[in-house]
Amino acid sequence: MSAPQSRFVKACKAQPVDRTPVWFMRQAGRYMAEYRAVRKRYSLVEICKKPEVAAEVTITAAEALGVDAAIIFADLLLPLEVMGLPFHFEPGEGPVIEKPVREKKDVIQLRVDRAAELGYVAEAVSLVCKHFGTSLPVIGFCGAPFTLASYMIEGGGSRNYVHTKKMMYSSPSVWDELMRKLVAVTSQHAAEQVRAGADVIQIFDSWVGCLSVEDYRRYALPRTTELVNAVQKTGVSVIYFGTDSATLLPSMKQTGAEVIGLDWRIPLDDGWSSLGFQGAVQGNLDPVLLFADWQELKARTKDILRRAGDRPGHIFNLGHGILPETPVENVKALAKFVQEHSTRR
Ligand code: CP3
């Protein structure tokens, strides 16, 4: 860990802090001119694979916004490559996995012995930690097994997750082997980031909301719990984030994650209450509110802070990542507003 005494790390443990820490998912991205300039020279994957460039992108965004944590610049899908599934980003379409996983033989072929080849992410983490020292905590991240499996099986984004659910329902042992392999790779990848100095690991389960509670509990919860436990063994707290997850929150809490990420569809206090107010929560402003006028944005931000109340363990964030056309000035003003209006007496 590089900044164990920071207000962000303390808030993850639901300890009292001087004010609410704030950072944003996708805080480094296309909405920022500095990032677009770097993207003129390198592809997304090239940035990820050049630790000095990934570190620079991470640091530039965190400093420009004045947020309370830096998230390492990388991508959820990088582990697919070392498991034997090449992918690329199609402009306007998102990620495309060249040969999706559909059958038992595809799962058998997936490799779990090459996680060390993702070492460039840990190298970038180490450079960012060196830059910030104890002044700013660094967040490492990885995908949750369900969300990564859905990309592997669908071959990209999906609306109904037909192929994914078909494997779950009709070949549960193949599904479980896939989940097991994903946990083997992502737990090593996360542990490397912690060894490099990451203070907290966020596990993204972006598409888990397509599951019913019963299916979540049967097909996702057991292996996700293994991943959370493996990361916690390295000594850091885990933020577990999903979207469309209102009905799943109590089950997601059973993974043991210290912090649960809330999307914007549920009032923050309702979400926290469904967790029995145990542990910390992160969220949960609708990212589209950053396109609204300042009065509205301010009012909705105040409402979230009011809902969090004086309970320790709120980390301010959006309910999902910053969108590409977002006005940068609003993001900066929002960070400042949260910092000025959450002072604890
Ligand atoms: O938050 C940060 O600042 C760190 C960087 C980060 C990226 N991807 C960089 C990126 C993080 C945390 C991710 C995680 C990620 N990647 C997720 C989970 C987060 C979420 O929003 O739920 C997912 C689902 C992915 C897979 C992925 N990568 C998608 C669906 C896309 C969008 C494709 C598109 O064209 O919009 C990406 C590309 C990507 N990863 C960008 C960035 C900044 C887009 C910008 C670019 O192409 O340069």
Side-chain angles (χ1 to χ4, degrees):
M1 291 180 81
S2 59
Q5 297 304 321
S6 58
R7 62 174 72 83
F8 169 72
V9 170
K10 286 185 172 172
C12 287
K13 297 177 184 164
Q15 293 170 0
V17 286
D18 57 344
R19 60 166 175 76
T20 307
V22 51
W23 70 280
F24 304 110
M25 291 184 276
R26 290 275 172 102
Q27 63 193 22
R30 279 171 295 197
Y31 77 105
M32 212 177 246
E34 296 90 328
Y35 178 78
R36 291 196 300 272
V38 176
R39 276 287 271 112
K40 282 203 176 125
R41 291 189 286 144
Y42 306 109
S43 72
L44 171 70
V45 175
E46 281 169 345
I47 298 175
C48 298
K49 290 187 176 177
K50 293 181 191 292
E52 324 75 56
V53 182
E56 182 204 309
V57 167
T58 305
I59 293 164
T60 303
E63 290 183 342
L65 301 175
V67 285
D68 295 296
I71 181 163
I72 192 64
F73 191 86
D75 197 82
L76 212 63
L77 301 179
L78 296 170
L80 271 57
E81 192 178 66
V82 302
M83 294 180 77
L85 283 189
F87 66 90
H88 61 273
F89 288 95
E90 203 69 59
E93 229 189 282
V96 177
I97 288 87
E98 282 141 38
K99 288 193 192 117
V101 168
R102 291 287 161 82
E103 299 170 31
K104 185 173 180 179
K105 69 166 176 35
D106 305 329
V107 173
I108 289 171
Q109 279 173 8
L110 293 173
R111 296 185 55 171
V112 296
D113 57 342
R114 290 173 54 200
E117 290 175 36
L118 298 169
Y120 51 84
V121 176
E123 268 180 61
V125 168
S126 153
L127 293 173
V128 177
C129 291
K130 208 182 208 175
H131 175 86
F132 286 121
T134 55
S135 70
L136 203 73
V138 178
I139 304 168
F141 72 89
C142 65
F146 175 82
T147 289
L148 289 178
S150 81
Y151 274 110
M152 285 182 156
I153 298 170
E154 302 296 333
S158 176
R159 184 184 278 271
N160 293 314
Y161 300 90
V162 172
H163 296 290
T164 306
K165 291 186 180 182
K166 188 175 155 197
M167 184 187 286
M168 267 170 34
Y169 298 139
S170 41
S171 313
S173 63
V174 176
W175 168 260
D176 192 57
E177 180 62 7
L178 173 57
M179 296 289 276
R180 202 187 57 75
K181 285 187 158 184
L182 281 164
V183 170
V185 173
T186 50
S187 57
Q188 285 180 67
H189 178 43
E192 285 236 14
Q193 295 177 63
V194 175
R195 273 194 290 278
D199 291 280
V200 167
I201 294 289
Q202 175 151 330
I203 298 176
F204 284 93
D205 214 347
S206 309
W207 313 135
V208 74
C210 72
L211 294 176
S212 68
V213 175
E214 190 189 348
D215 285 348
Y216 175 79
R217 298 187 64 80
R218 188 182 304 179
Y219 298 108
L221 177 59
R223 298 295 178 191
T224 310
T225 303
E226 287 178 13
L227 173 60
V228 170
N229 291 344
V231 175
Q232 288 169 332
K233 280 212 180 83
T234 67
V236 300
S237 300
V238 170
I239 304 171
Y240 180 33
F241 167 77
T243 68
D244 254 328
S245 53
T247 59
L248 303 178
L249 293 172
S251 301
M252 289 172 72
K253 187 67 195 170
Q254 288 183 12
T255 58
E258 286 85 351
V259 188
I260 297 294
L262 303 174
D263 83 354
W264 69 91
R265 295 173 182 89
I266 187 165
L268 185 114
D269 43 348
D270 290 358
W272 211 347
S273 156
S274 80
L275 305 170
F277 292 109
Q278 296 296 301
V281 290
Q282 176 173 281
N284 70 344
L285 187 83
D286 185 340
V288 179
L289 273 160
L290 285 164
F291 294 81
D293 63 62
W294 177 241
Q295 286 311 314
E296 184 64 15
L297 177 54
K298 206 164 71 172
R300 304 293 284 268
T301 301
K302 268 189 185 164
D303 186 58
I304 289 171
L305 292 171
R306 180 187 63 76
R307 288 175 188 278
D310 283 333
R311 288 177 211 98
H314 175 222
I315 298 145
F316 193 95
N317 206 312
L318 306 175
H320 204 168
I322 297 181
L323 295 162
E325 313 293 330
T326 302
V328 179
E329 289 319 307
N330 284 355
V331 185
K332 289 183 182 171
L334 174 59
K336 192 158 175 270
F337 184 83
V338 172
Q339 291 166 346
E340 288 173 357
H341 286 78
S342 62
T343 310
R344 297 276 180 276
R345 287 158 298 268

